[in-house]
């Protein structure tokens, strides 16, 4: 990945090499030079690229880091915790709600004192879902007991990643360390970056191995008990040890950064002060914005205004004394917080700075607090000028008029307030009567009648056109075909994923009926709450006023990624047997975040975290059989479906509705094409799905009240084709048809055949 | 060491690429930036706009070049470009592609139109219009639009090393796609050679439009429903997605249609418009009326699904979509 520009003579003593790369690339580059033992990770924008770059380098044989794709961030934190307890070097990267999902594990890691390094590529937190950069996730990290290093640009990302490991492993610290950079502003912008030219020099600095003498769980001669049950009066003493170590981290950081500066010529003092010597007004900002403000300082200085800026390179431990000293003599400082601490009369940095000034007797400096740049709203120089104007006004007036406010929020034009565009769907149009499901009293089986799709074109679609999916996206043809088989009203919940993102870009929605989003580890639980509230409010007569003509059909839509991270709540909802449908559209990867592998990605398939190279041939383990997992919960109805067999899918949708309204939970899985990430032609999406069905990779069947029936058998129709005939048509799998991947193809074929034979046995025997 | 032809107050020469996802502007931007930084030794920064929108949606790439001594601190999008590269001429329907240009900026457009026609279309007050038929070149050379655009952009950036770029193209392709090297180089060269220029002076008494901040939304904290809710079901019908098409589109021949609805099942964008009419025996039946091209992204799944030749794939010509569109008859809200 890294492009070597030239070898430049640096002011340091070590040989360096210039590259032109982004923040994420530099985090990965540092990690590969360190050659960590283990990275447990889960994709989330904007940090995902870190694992992707490492996987690509791994495929090319550039490092030995064991990259473990977890089932969610909580799982990734668990992997990292276990790996660090086992004594090796551990690395991770995450963002936003991914960080919040693992938050519970952070104090476990720090409180039991196992060092590791994690990059937090900072992003706003849901909800509403915003993928762009602010410091909302970072502020949750302040109380986790991890030292936090700050990175203003890609160069700092590289440098801090190397400093972080040395800090984490220092005998006087022994804490996990967070390296925070700004999502997109830093993670995705390419810059010239100087790096160690040789890995050996990196190792000479951080040590080839983690320091000896610390306990780990793999020493059989010295068994240890990690994480005991510890109440008062002992717990407070563990916390005190941790607190001492945290404050020590400040001294240790200061020592390490000097060693680093001597080597590289790049220095990261605890506080970055720009033209502060005689400053009368100042602005405090963190990371990327703290660079932009320097241009503003220069412009103000050119106008004779004594302006300066302060930005921390480390915020845990908080450099209280250094900040108070820097601001002593400054008449007024505007503190910009890129995240709110709702109700706190200032963001976290504002309040900590105020406390620092108070504690260290710099009480004459006026402090103005502004929340800015939330959700990735750009911070332009003109915004910086505004922050300085506030400080200048306060300095001149000797007081602060508005101590706390937002900057960059807009009231909106009442003329442009939303007006309804479409009338709601008419129940009569949705209840066509063209589809009927009845239980045969004699056999107890459901009798289903569905018309040809032509007749169903009369039924309005549940989704409106105008969504932003890629051309040829298989999601929406698949979903609408399923919805055509559902009569009457639905309430839909979409878990995070492409279908959610492209249909709800604010202020537009492609959902004609009511829709809810929740993050994809929790959709099934959320919808089960909606379902139970429906039945309870109905029982209490509270819904009579809405003129419901029939019960809703509750449908959760999820991608295969959502069935990984959300597997627990999905199984929980199935075991509780709520009256709802879970429909999974499986496109064999986390396509929304850039085509990372999911557990449903088959063996050998290329994704951005299962690259194909000399040292790795795509995904390393077999695809998950989600339908069988869900069938094992003994819910009334499980099915698979395909756009290429419309009548089959319509019948299953009709049955699904019957069971979800009358009996309990239904799970269905449709395979859908993703031309962008399957690297296939857009127009052949349906053909590819048809081929997947005919290879028996994705067999059509249902498990109805425990009885398995194959609803379409390609062997009976003489249509079965070898897997290679399907794989050769997709860029992501074309390599598997080459001789050097014969073993992987054979393994994939064997697995598909084994599952198919087992399915046929189930089809033959109602008790299997 | 090459010299930047112009620099703004902070010392930057700035380039903005306007495109739709899938045309390769991101990659072209990366290659252009690397050519400046790695090839010609400038300092620089480059990035693309990232959002939830997918392939086919408007995207931008931003590049700043400066001297090695200049500090790069700004991370904001390029608002005052010296060069704009427009990868799809119809972008100007929905995006102000020339926002913030100077009177002497250069705007390169992928188009087969004349500079005069384009000046009208993109509402250019002044500046140099450069035109190259990148789509035509790419189709002829069986290569990609971004290579032809990159060639055109190199013509505009004479401070970059043309031969060095050819080396990068060769190097990046020869291992994985050796058969693509020559077409890519030819496409790049033709993009460079075939640019047409015309400079329009600023008429007297007219001022260049001032750049406006793009990040002021229509809704705000006084008008936005609580909690980010959208209380306007299905309002995405207001969107025009026709710019997502990258050259090809389906044509509908009613004579050959058997109204089987295979197209309707295949279409991801709900473009097929149906009406209930009496069949030959007088019974009500559904009949396909045509395609609502406002939403058609040109994936051509319907053409593959069609069992007859009622749907065929054709190169999109100017105005065809508007002229042959059969609009959906939505149940518009009474307020409208």
């Amino acid at each position: 990945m890294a492009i070597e520009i030239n070898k430049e003579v640096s002011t340091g003593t070590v040989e360096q090499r210039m590259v032109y790369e982004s923040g994420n690339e530099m985090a990965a580059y540092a990690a590969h030079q360190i050659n960590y033992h283990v990275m447990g990770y889960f994709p989330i924008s904007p940090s995902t690229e870190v694992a992707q770059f490492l996987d690509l380098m791994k495929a090319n044989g550039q490092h030995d880091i064991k990259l473990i794709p977890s089932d969610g961030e909580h799982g990734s934190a668990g992997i990292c915790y276990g790996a660090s307890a086992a004594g090796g070097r551990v690395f991770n990267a995450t963002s936003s709600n991914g960080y919040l999902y693992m938050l519970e594990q952070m104090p476990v890691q720090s409180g039991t004192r196992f060092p590791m390094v994690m990059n937090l590529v900072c992003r706003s937190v849901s909800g509403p879902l915003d993928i762009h950069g602010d410091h909302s996730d970072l502020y949750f990290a302040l109380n986790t007991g991890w030292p936090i290093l700050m990175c203003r640009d890609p160069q700092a990302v590289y440098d801090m990643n190397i400093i972080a490991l040395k800090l984490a492993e220092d005998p006087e610290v022994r804490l996990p360390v967070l390296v925070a950079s700004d999502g997109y502003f830093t993670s995705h912008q390419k810059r010239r970056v100087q790096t160690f030219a040789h890995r050996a020099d990196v190792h000479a600095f951080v040590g080839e191995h983690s320091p000896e003498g610390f306990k780990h769980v793999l020493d059989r001669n010295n068994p240890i008990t990690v994480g005991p049950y510890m109440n008062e009066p002992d717990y407070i003493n563990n916390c005190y040890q941790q607190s001492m170590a945290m404050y020590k981290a400040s001294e240790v950081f200061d020592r390490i950064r000097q060693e680093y500066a001597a080597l590289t010529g790049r220095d990261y003092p605890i506080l970055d002060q720009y033209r502060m010597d005689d400053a009368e007004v100042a602005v405090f900002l963190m990371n990327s914005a703290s660079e932009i403000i320097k241009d503003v300082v220069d412009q103000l200085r050119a106008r004779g205004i004594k302006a300066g800026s302060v930005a921390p390179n480390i915020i845990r431990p908080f450099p209280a004394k250094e900040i108070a000293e820097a601001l002593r003599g400054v008449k007024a400082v505007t503190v910009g917080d890129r995240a709110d601490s709702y109700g706190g009369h200032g963001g976290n940095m504002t309040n900590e700075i105020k406390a620092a000034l108070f504690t260290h007797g710099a009480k004459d400096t006026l402090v103005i607090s502004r929340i800015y740049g939330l959700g990735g709203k750009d911070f332009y120089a003109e915004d910086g000028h505004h922050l300085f104007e506030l400080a200048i006004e306060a300095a001149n007036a000797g007081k602060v008029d508005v101590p706390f406010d937002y900057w960059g929020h807009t009231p909106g034009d009442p003329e442009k307030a939303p007006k309804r565009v479409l009338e709601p769907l008419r129940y009569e149009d949705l209840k066509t009567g063209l589809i009927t499901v009845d239980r045969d009293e004699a056999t107890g089986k459901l009798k289903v009648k569905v018309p040809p799709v032509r007749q169903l074109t009369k039924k309005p679609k549940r989704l409106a056109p105008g969504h932003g999916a890629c051309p040829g996206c298989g999601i929406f043809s698949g979903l609408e075909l399923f919805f055509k088989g559902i009569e009457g009203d639905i309430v839909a919940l979409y878990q995070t994923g492409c279908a959610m993102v492209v249909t709800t870009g604010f202020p537009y929605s492609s959902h004609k009926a009511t829709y809810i989003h929740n993050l994809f580890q929790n959709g099934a639980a959320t919808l089960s709450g909606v379902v139970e509230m429906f039945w309870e409010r109905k029982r209490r007569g509270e819904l009579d006023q809405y003129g419901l003509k029939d019960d809703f059909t509750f449908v959760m839509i999820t991608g295969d990624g959502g069935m990984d991270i959300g597997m627990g709540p999905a199984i929980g909802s199935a075991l509780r047997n709520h009256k709802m449908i879970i429909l999974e559209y499986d496109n064999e990867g986390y396509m929304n975040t850039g085509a990372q592998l999911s557990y449903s990605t088959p063996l050998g398939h290329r994704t951005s975290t299962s690259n194909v190279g000399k040292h790795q041939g795509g995904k390393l383990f077999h695809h998950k059989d989600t339908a069988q997992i869900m069938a094992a919960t003994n819910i009334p109805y499980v099915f698979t479906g395909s756009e290429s067999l419309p009548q089959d899918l319509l019948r299953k949708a009709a049955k699904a509705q019957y069971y979800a309204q009358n009996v309990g939970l239904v799970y269905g899985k449709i395979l859908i094409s993703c031309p962008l990430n399957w690297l296939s032609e857009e127009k052949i999406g349906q053909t590819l799905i048809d081929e997947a069905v005919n290879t028996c990779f994705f067999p059509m069947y249902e498990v109805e009240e425990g009885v398995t029936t194959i609803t379409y058998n390609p062997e009976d129709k003489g249509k079965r084709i070898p897997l290679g005939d399907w794989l050769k048509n997709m860029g992501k799998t074309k390599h598997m048809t080459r001789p050097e991947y014969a073993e992987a193809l054979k393994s994939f074929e064997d697995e598909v055949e084994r599952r198919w034979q087992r399915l046929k046995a189930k089809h033959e025997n109602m008790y299997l | 060491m090459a010299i930047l032809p112009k620099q703004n107050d902070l010392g930057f020469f700035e380039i903005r690429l306007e495109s739709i996802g899938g045309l390769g502007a991101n990659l072209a931007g990366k290659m252009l930036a690397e050519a400046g930084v790695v090839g010609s030794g400038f300092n620089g920064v480059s990035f693309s706009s990232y959002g939830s929108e997918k392939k086919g949606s408007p995207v931008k790439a931003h590049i700043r070049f400066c001297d090695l001594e200049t500090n790069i601190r700004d991370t904001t999008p390029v608002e005052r470009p010296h060069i704009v590269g427009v990868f799809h001429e119809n972008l100007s329907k929905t995006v102000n592609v020339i926002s913030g240009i100077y009177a002497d900026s250069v705007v390169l457009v992928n188009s087969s139109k004349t500079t005069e026609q384009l000046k009208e279309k993109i509402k250019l007050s002044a500046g140099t219009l450069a035109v190259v038929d990148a789509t035509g070149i790419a189709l002829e050379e069986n290569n990609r639009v971004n290579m032809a655009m990159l060639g055109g952009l190199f013509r505009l950036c004479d401070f970059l090393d043309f031969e060095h770029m050819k080396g990068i193209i060769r190097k990046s392709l020869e291992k994985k796609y050796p058969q693509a090297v020559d077409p890519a180089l030819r496409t790049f060269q033709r993009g460079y050679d075939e640019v047409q220029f015309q400079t329009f002076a600023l008429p007297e008494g007219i001022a260049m439009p001032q750049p406006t901040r793009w990040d002021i939304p229509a809704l705000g904290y006084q008008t936005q429903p609580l909690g980010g809710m959208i209380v306007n079901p299905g309002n995405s019908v207001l969107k025009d997605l026709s710019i997502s098409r990258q050259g090809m589109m389906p044509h509908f021949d009613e004579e050959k249609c058997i109204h089987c609805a295979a197209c309707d099942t295949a279409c991801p964008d709900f473009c097929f418009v149906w009406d209930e009419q009496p069949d030959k025996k007088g019974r009500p039946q559904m009949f396909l009326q045509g395609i609502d091209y406002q939403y058609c992204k040109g994936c051509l799944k319907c053409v593959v699904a069609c069992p007859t030749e009622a749907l065929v794939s054709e190169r999109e010509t100017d105005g065809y979509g508007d002229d042959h569109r059969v609009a959906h008859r939505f149940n518009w809200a009474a307020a409208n």
Side-chain angles (χ1 to χ4, degrees):
Chain A
M1 51 149 232
I3 296 162
E4 292 171 23
I5 295 182
N6 47 26
K7 291 180 182 180
E8 293 189 7
V9 182
S10 73
T11 52
T13 56
V14 76
E15 187 184 343
Q16 303 204 44
R17 180 180 289 153
M18 190 74 90
V19 296
Y20 181 65
E21 299 295 358
S22 68
N24 279 343
E25 283 164 314
M26 292 326 298
Y29 195 75
H32 113 281
Q33 284 188 318
I34 290 167
N35 205 22
Y36 282 95
H37 290 83
V38 168
M39 177 185 193
Y41 70 92
F42 189 79
I44 183 163
S45 301
S47 62
T48 318
E49 285 185 338
V50 178
Q52 290 174 201
F53 292 130
L54 281 169
D55 188 77
L56 191 60
M57 285 190 274
K58 175 123 183 183
N60 296 329
Q62 290 170 266
H63 65 80
D64 314 308
I65 305 170
K66 177 89 178 164
L67 300 167
I68 306 176
S70 73
D71 55 335
E73 286 87 358
H74 193 250
S76 82
I79 292 167
C80 291
Y81 182 56
S84 61
R89 284 177 163 166
V90 179
F91 182 69
N92 198 356
T94 193
S95 298
S96 186
N97 285 67
Y99 181 66
L100 268 57
Y101 191 38
M102 64 167 77
L103 191 65
E104 176 260 338
Q105 289 286 293
M106 300 297 100
V108 175
Q109 183 92 37
S110 59
T112 57
R113 309 294 298 274
F114 289 108
M116 66 169 282
V117 172
M118 182 159 75
N119 279 257
L120 183 66
V121 183
C122 299
R123 166 185 153 183
S124 57
V125 300
S126 283
L129 190 151
D130 179 322
I131 65 164
H132 289 147
D134 67 26
H135 295 155
S136 302
D137 49 3
L138 176 65
Y139 281 10
F140 280 89
L142 294 171
N143 295 334
T144 57
W146 293 44
I148 301 172
L149 308 184
M150 304 295 288
C151 309
R152 61 195 61 244
D153 56 20
Q155 178 71 63
V157 173
Y158 175 76
D159 295 330
M160 288 299 198
N161 263 287
I162 291 169
I163 291 172
L165 179 63
K166 200 172 167 71
L167 177 64
E169 292 182 341
D170 188 276
E172 292 189 297
V173 177
R174 301 293 298 172
L175 285 170
V177 173
L178 201 65
V179 178
S181 59
D182 285 0
Y184 297 105
F185 302 121
T186 303
S187 66
H188 284 65
Q189 295 202 2
K190 281 179 183 275
R191 298 282 186 90
R192 294 170 78 100
V193 178
Q194 273 200 324
T195 65
F196 284 83
H198 306 292
R199 176 180 275 175
D201 289 328
V202 176
H203 283 178
F205 182 71
V206 298
E208 201 162 338
H209 302 287
S210 36
E212 294 294 330
F214 294 93
K215 306 270 186 266
H216 61 84
V217 300
L218 301 180
D219 179 357
R220 60 106 31 235
N221 295 322
N222 294 294
I224 54 169
T225 297
V226 175
Y229 171 58
M230 180 199 275
N231 278 340
E232 82 289 3
D234 305 294
Y235 178 81
I236 193 171
N237 293 323
N238 193 66
C239 298
Y240 187 70
Q241 283 181 336
Q242 202 183 325
S243 174
M244 295 292 286
M246 178 62 101
Y247 288 117
K248 199 76 195 173
S250 182
E251 279 170 44
V252 174
F253 174 81
D254 206 41
R255 190 187 74 226
I256 294 173
R257 65 100 178 167
Q258 288 176 46
E259 292 168 24
Y260 194 81
L263 270 181
T264 65
R266 291 185 298 282
D267 194 8
Y268 295 92
I270 284 174
L271 211 53
D272 184 61
Q273 302 187 42
Y274 187 70
R275 306 186 81 165
M276 283 298 291
D277 282 346
D278 59 343
E280 292 177 353
V281 286
V283 167
F284 175 98
L285 294 168
M286 296 202 295
N287 279 5
S288 58
S290 75
E291 283 293 291
I292 296 170
I293 203 74
K294 289 176 180 172
D295 284 337
V296 178
V297 169
D298 291 343
Q299 288 157 10
L300 292 172
R301 286 271 173 180
R303 281 162 37 192
I305 294 164
K306 290 182 175 172
S309 90
V310 185
N313 281 315
I314 178 169
I315 57 169
R316 278 296 176 272
F318 190 67
K321 190 157 174 256
E322 291 83 353
I323 287 175
E325 288 311 317
L327 295 178
R328 196 183 297 280
V330 170
K331 290 179 183 164
V333 59
T334 303
V335 180
D337 276 286
R338 210 164 197 159
D340 198 355
S341 171
Y342 299 104
H345 303 283
N348 289 110
M349 288 304 116
T350 298
N351 290 339
E352 297 201 8
I353 288 169
K354 283 182 175 174
L357 293 171
F358 185 86
T359 305
H360 296 281
K363 294 176 195 168
D364 296 334
T365 305
L366 298 168
V367 180
I368 305 111
S369 171
R370 288 296 180 269
I371 307 292
Y372 77 98
L374 299 189
K377 183 151 184 164
D378 275 302
F379 182 75
Y380 290 88
E382 68 184 61
D383 300 310
H385 279 287
H386 172 76
L387 297 186
F388 267 112
E389 277 161 25
L390 293 169
I392 294 165
E393 277 169 27
N396 291 339
K399 65 183 176 70
V400 181
D401 276 339
V402 184
F404 170 74
D405 201 353
Y406 274 47
W407 171 248
H409 54 311
T410 49
D413 180 353
E415 293 293 306
K416 292 176 185 163
K419 289 191 191 71
R420 178 167 275 183
V421 172
L422 298 181
E423 291 296 340
L425 295 170
R426 281 187 294 259
Y427 176 79
E428 296 69 30
D429 294 341
L430 294 165
K431 184 80 177 177
T432 61
L434 293 166
I435 296 166
T436 58
V437 185
D438 299 295
R439 207 182 266 278
D440 186 316
E441 286 187 14
T443 63
K445 296 274 179 202
L446 293 190
K447 286 192 306 186
V448 181
K449 276 190 198 155
V450 293
V453 282
R454 178 181 182 180
Q455 274 178 272
L456 288 171
T457 58
K458 189 179 176 186
K459 192 170 182 168
K461 292 187 166 61
R462 311 273 176 175
L463 289 154
H467 63 72
C470 303
C473 174
I475 296 173
F476 296 98
S477 43
L479 292 186
E480 269 302 339
L481 182 59
F482 177 79
F483 286 142
K484 273 180 184 164
I486 304 281
E487 292 271 279
D489 290 322
I490 63 165
V491 171
L493 181 142
Y494 283 50
Q495 299 210 93
T496 318
C498 283
M500 166 262 162
V501 158
V502 302
T503 55
T504 62
F506 193 82
Y508 294 100
S509 174
S510 303
H511 298 277
K512 295 188 202 161
T514 290
Y515 156 102
I516 313 168
H517 161 253
N518 198 1
L519 298 170
F520 62 169
Q521 61 272 33
N522 224 0
T526 307
L527 191 61
S528 76
V530 175
V531 169
E532 296 311 320
M533 185 57 86
F534 168 74
W535 289 105
E536 186 55 22
R537 289 189 73 190
K538 184 179 170 178
R539 190 183 69 77
R540 297 187 190 193
E542 291 176 12
L543 301 181
D544 299 348
Q545 56 182 313
Y546 300 115
L548 292 181
K549 297 193 172 100
D550 193 4
D551 296 336
F552 287 108
T553 301
F554 295 93
V555 188
M556 174 178 122
I557 304 296
T558 176
D560 47 312
M563 285 306 281
D564 283 350
I565 190 170
M567 196 75 221
I571 288 179
S573 300
L575 295 172
R576 297 191 300 269
N577 207 23
H578 302 281
K579 289 180 179 170
M580 58 187 255
I581 300 169
I582 295 177
L583 181 67
E584 172 186 346
Y585 61 87
D586 177 2
N587 49 20
E588 303 184 334
Y590 299 148
M591 302 324 191
N592 186 42
T593 43
Q596 296 82 24
L597 72 83
S598 79
Y599 293 163
S600 293
T601 307
L603 184 87
H605 286 219
R606 179 204 295 266
T607 68
S608 62
T609 50
S610 62
N611 283 286
V612 176
K614 275 201 181 106
H615 298 261
Q616 179 175 294
K619 189 176 173 235
L620 300 171
F621 54 99
H622 284 296
H623 56 290
K624 171 174 160 187
D625 197 340
T626 319
Q628 287 296 310
I629 295 173
M630 294 305 288
T633 64
N634 294 303
I635 48 177
Y637 191 55
V638 171
F639 70 90
T640 60
S642 153
E643 177 189 321
S644 65
L645 293 164
Q647 295 305 119
D648 181 71
L649 183 54
L650 286 173
R651 290 173 59 82
K652 288 168 174 169
K655 278 189 181 180
Q657 179 171 31
Y658 178 88
Y659 283 110
Q661 283 193 319
N662 298 290
V663 186
L665 196 134
V666 172
Y667 166 81
K669 182 182 181 94
I670 56 174
L671 186 71
I672 62 104
S673 60
C674 176
L676 180 70
N677 294 316
W678 287 11
L679 308 172
S680 58
E681 275 187 278
E682 288 158 7
K683 63 183 177 190
I684 62 163
Q686 214 172 61
T687 316
L688 287 174
I689 300 303
D690 194 39
E691 286 168 353
V693 170
N694 285 325
T695 59
C696 295
F697 161 75
F698 196 77
M700 294 293 101
Y701 68 100
E702 60 190 4
V703 185
E704 188 173 359
E705 300 188 305
V707 179
T708 299
T709 308
I710 292 171
T711 58
Y712 167 84
N713 186 334
E715 289 173 341
D716 293 350
K717 310 259 178 199
K719 284 192 167 177
R720 182 151 187 199
I721 54 169
L723 274 170
D725 288 4
W726 169 50
L727 300 177
K728 70 178 182 345
N729 294 324
M730 297 177 287
K732 69 163 179 169
T733 49
K734 211 183 276 175
H735 64 279
M736 291 182 74
T737 60
R738 295 207 305 262
E740 57 268 40
Y741 294 97
E743 200 182 327
L745 180 61
K746 176 77 169 43
S747 173
F748 184 32
E749 284 171 341
D750 289 350
E751 183 67 16
V752 166
E753 186 60 18
R754 191 176 66 76
R755 293 186 193 183
W756 171 240
Q757 291 301 335
R758 190 174 55 194
L759 193 67
K760 283 203 292 189
K762 288 185 174 186
H763 174 80
E764 294 299 327
N765 187 330
M766 67 178 289
Y767 295 109
L768 287 180
Chain B
M1 170 90 193
I3 291 171
L4 292 169
K6 296 171 199 165
Q7 281 164 293
N8 66 15
D9 293 347
L10 292 172
F12 293 100
F13 182 83
E14 306 196 327
I15 302 170
R16 187 173 72 220
L17 307 183
E18 301 272 359
S19 185
I20 59 171
L23 286 179
N26 182 19
L27 182 66
K30 266 186 192 168
M31 293 176 103
L32 194 65
E34 276 164 17
V37 176
V38 184
S40 300
F42 293 108
N43 199 359
V45 53
S46 53
F47 54 99
S48 300
S49 58
Y50 288 89
S52 60
E53 301 291 319
K54 305 296 178 185
K55 190 178 172 189
S57 305
V59 291
K60 296 176 200 287
H62 309 271
I63 300 154
R64 292 191 167 93
F65 290 128
C66 58
D67 300 331
L68 275 181
E69 300 72 40
T70 303
N71 286 314
I72 301 178
R73 293 161 171 165
D74 197 354
T75 55
T76 60
V78 168
E79 305 286 4
R80 308 289 326 258
H82 296 101
I83 292 178
V84 180
V86 184
F87 282 54
H88 193 308
E89 66 170 84
N90 285 339
L91 262 171
S92 61
K93 274 165 66 175
T94 49
V95 179
N96 181 10
V97 291
I98 54 168
S99 173
I101 59 165
Y102 303 99
D104 60 350
S105 292
V106 187
V107 181
L108 174 72
V109 186
N110 168 19
S111 174
S112 52
K113 289 197 169 66
T114 66
T115 46
E116 291 287 353
Q117 288 169 323
L118 276 175
K119 178 178 186 290
E120 195 68 24
K121 184 163 184 176
I122 66 173
K123 300 186 185 71
L124 184 84
S125 309
T128 299
L129 250 179
V131 185
V132 65
D133 183 12
T135 304
I137 295 172
L139 284 173
E140 283 169 29
E141 298 293 344
N142 193 22
N143 201 259
R144 301 198 58 202
V145 167
N146 62 351
M147 280 300 126
M149 283 298 284
L150 194 61
L153 288 163
F154 259 77
R155 181 79 174 275
L156 311 185
C157 300
D158 55 8
F159 54 92
L160 299 179
D161 186 340
F162 187 73
E163 290 305 317
H164 182 262
M165 190 66 232
K166 288 209 272 193
I168 288 180
I169 293 172
R170 178 175 289 114
K171 213 170 130 188
S172 63
L173 291 173
E174 67 189 354
K175 264 194 192 158
K176 268 191 179 168
Y177 313 103
Q179 72 285 0
V181 171
D182 285 338
L185 288 174
R186 271 202 307 276
T187 309
F188 178 68
Q189 182 75 48
R190 282 189 59 188
Y192 185 91
D193 292 339
E194 295 177 21
V195 185
Q196 301 289 321
F197 295 92
Q198 189 173 357
T199 298
F200 300 93
L202 188 65
E204 262 189 57
I206 303 276
M208 287 299 285
Q210 283 303 301
T212 48
R213 272 184 82 147
W214 67 273
D215 56 355
I216 309 299
L219 290 171
Y221 58 84
Q222 286 178 350
T223 58
Q224 201 164 299
L226 286 190
M229 231 174 258
I230 300 170
V231 292
N232 207 338
N235 64 345
S236 68
V237 297
L238 298 177
K239 292 203 158 187
D240 184 343
L241 302 177
S242 51
I243 59 160
S244 300
R245 293 192 294 267
Q246 300 189 0
M248 304 303 287
M249 70 193 307
H251 282 194
F252 174 55
D253 181 352
E254 198 176 353
E255 296 297 308
K256 293 178 179 162
C257 181
I258 57 170
H259 307 281
C260 67
C263 51
D264 195 76
T265 299
C267 178
D269 295 296
F270 318 136
C271 300
F272 291 93
V273 180
W274 296 80
D275 193 26
E276 191 173 57
Q277 292 168 3
D279 67 8
K280 281 177 194 157
K281 292 176 186 165
R283 294 172 307 199
Q285 182 55 280
M286 300 304 291
F287 289 88
L288 180 59
Q289 304 300 298
I291 301 171
D292 193 337
Y293 286 111
Q294 179 177 339
Y295 309 110
C296 173
K297 296 171 186 156
C299 73
L300 307 175
K301 271 182 83 187
C302 57
V303 174
V304 173
C306 182
T308 69
E309 285 171 348
L311 289 163
V312 291
S313 148
E314 297 287 347
R315 175 93 199 262
E316 178 157 9
T317 50
D318 218 24
Y320 185 94
D322 292 337
D323 296 344
H324 294 81
R325 174 183 176 214
V326 176
H328 273 298
R329 284 167 298 233
F330 294 115
N331 188 10
W332 299 104
N336 293 300

